[in-house]
Amino acid sequence: MEQHGERYERGLKALQHISGDTEPSVLTSLAGIAPDLGRYIAEFGYGDLYTRPGLEPRDRQLVTLGALAALGNAAPQLRFHINGALNAGCTRAEVVEALIQIAAYAGFPAAINALKHAEAVFAEIDAKA
Amino acid sequence: MEQHGERYERGLKALQHISGDTEPSVLTSLAGIAPDLGRYIAEFGYGDLYTRPGLEPRDRQLVTLGALAALGNAAPQLRFHINGALNAGCTRAEVVEALIQIAAYAGFPAAINALKHAEAVFAEIDAKA
Amino acid sequence: MEQHGERYERGLKALQHISGDTEPSVLTSLAGIAPDLGRYIAEFGYGDLYTRPGLEPRDRQLVTLGALAALGNAAPQLRFHINGALNAGCTRAEVVEALIQIAAYAGFPAAINALKHAEAVFAEIDAKA
Amino acid sequence: MEQHGERYERGLKALQHISGDTEPSVLTSLAGIAPDLGRYIAEFGYGDLYTRPGLEPRDRQLVTLGALAALGNAAPQLRFHINGALNAGCTRAEVVEALIQIAAYAGFPAAINALKHAEAVFAEIDAKA
Amino acid sequence: MEQHGERYERGLKALQHISGDTEPSVLTSLAGIAPDLGRYIAEFGYGDLYTRPGLEPRDRQLVTLGALAALGNAAPQLRFHINGALNAGCTRAEVVEALIQIAAYAGFPAAINALKHAEAVFAEIDAKA
Amino acid sequence: MEQHGERYERGLKALQHISGDTEPSVLTSLAGIAPDLGRYIAEFGYGDLYTRPGLEPRDRQLVTLGALAALGNAAPQLRFHINGALNAGCTRAEVVEALIQIAAYAGFPAAINALKHAEAVFAEIDAKA
């Protein structure tokens, strides 16, 4: 097995915390087709960016929810970060508020579709509980 | 002069606080071509949405920065909300962090261009001071 | 049950007309996760915007089809407004023409995908008839 | 000089009518870098698509305004079609209404920026008159 | 049956080569709802554009993969062109590299989702073999 | 001055080659507001991604032109990579062909605006020569 460096380990730890999963799905999902992209996500996306000290994880999740809900073309990642926002300390009500706010900046369809993803993520969590 | 209702007054007050301006530029900018849209922004965008109790103004600005930086096609509004984030309690360093985070979700160009807008907004503030 | 005001009632009536449904799906769909967003859609989206006197409902649907087909990331809303355009007076052939036109401004994929949604909406209508 | 066929001539005529210009700027603008793209725009964009019989020119302009305002990244083309909508029979008030409607589907920034373009196009027309 | 001209025949031949299919799915898919759009895709998209002599088919597929992966809202077309890139001479490894590169310009979600489509396309090809 | 590692040096060298500049503008441009983002672009964007062995630099530039032209909201980066494509071995005619191809996948406005950037980049190069 490939030896991973410090950036990877730091990123993996952050990714595990955000996902609430010891084997984050983004890494297993890419293992077959592009494992290096999975490694970059851990190293750069989380080891470099996400763990920078200047902004709290909860704040980074709010920025990310804004970005993904506005783009409206990345459903799996939006679902991942709706869950991630909860794991970083947002309440469900705050996630809902953040997504309602999107109506002003990207229109009603973006907000509606994001909220339907939130509803599905919350239901999955409840089903597991 | 048109009589405005409670939603407008609540929204205008929020807009004045975010913009640091008694006559927010978005309203004066639309006064000639579509004053009703300005009114809707105050009433719905701020009086209904922005002032909802479930999420702090600073958090709403972070969501908004994420949305506008990721869309990458709304420069005047991104600049407005970079300033707005500062007025809602973010530090300049936090705004910079939020925009660096965009690289992961919308790519380097979106992050670079947003940060150049932040640099320009900070310089304008310094020039006024 | 919550008392709704005049803007809501005016918007709901427009929404019922466009959807051909006394309980428009966008409202029932949001009832669980974000009923306030449903209320805003009725109040602002339809009560304020859609019912403005300066442009016919049919014309507003054409603008909306252009917007949603070009964005290409809001399938449920595009389907809703394909049906809405028919209810506002467009023929099926006009809806098809409007979506073919999108090829020039947003490329062939946007036009193709929008037309496949139109085909599905028309089939649903025929199945109900 | 290159001999143009029937599709080109039909498209050029439509383009001249929409632009109010015997030498439409999109063709002169591309003459140096990619004249063939200019030819395709005349032949396919206007000779094939725009002049199809099933939808009125005014209706096609409304669809186009919706598409370009929602995309928010094509300022020269949006300005061209704001003028084109007027030449196809829309009033200024109808153009403004169409662009206000965009707020519901693509957010306030898209609507604001499109309306500022409309204001500029109207001022250019007045300056020429 | 409609008589097709030289542009159509040239485009159809290119489309057959790219798709590896004598009846390309994009044409059959549009046959019910908008056969003219299918004809335009063959005539303009392939007969005019794709078969221009100045750039190799393989290069055009790389440009197309970049465009569709970055837009992130055209899954059927991205899958078509992942297969098309292989038929134009790219290896699977090159397609994977092209899509990993997207992370820099449109973010990780665009790259991840495009690569999952590539994985599915490769699996379909293997299942047929 | 900060000590940079191997990834940075490898990326900087690639960036210097693509830009034709010993001090690439993207790094100097970010030096004031977010030097770490500049570092990430060198390390991850070029040191990790761009220099991967599985796809030629010229091919990566074609993918990048496709992505940036289709997104249509990243003018400085599109100009950088139009120049980069030339430095990676594309002819001007090939760049023009790549951008004309965009009309099929993202519409005429995206292709037109990208080609006007190409015209400007070519003129800048000629002015320097």
Side-chain angles (χ1 to χ4, degrees), chain C residues 12-87:
Chain C
L12 177 61
K13 206 169 142 187
L15 200 39
Q16 287 169 331
H17 185 259
I18 292 303
S19 63
D21 202 342
T22 53
E23 298 192 14
S25 62
V26 67
L27 301 186
T28 52
S29 156
L30 289 168
I33 187 74
D36 283 359
L37 186 66
R39 181 165 57 81
Y40 295 145
I41 290 169
E43 289 176 349
F44 172 60
Y46 288 86
D48 285 348
L49 289 182
Y50 195 79
T51 51
R52 288 172 62 88
L55 193 69
E56 291 297 310
R58 179 181 171 282
D59 289 344
R60 290 186 189 272
Q61 291 295 335
L62 290 170
V63 173
T64 302
L65 289 184
L68 294 176
L71 289 173
N73 61 4
Q77 291 78 28
L78 179 57
R79 289 190 178 213
F80 181 90
H81 286 285
I82 287 167
N83 189 57
L86 300 177
N87 289 335

Side-chain angles (χ1 to χ4, degrees), chain F residues 84-97:
Chain F
L86 300 177
N87 289 334
C90 286
T91 64
R92 289 188 184 188
E94 287 173 331
V95 168
V96 167
E97 284 301 318

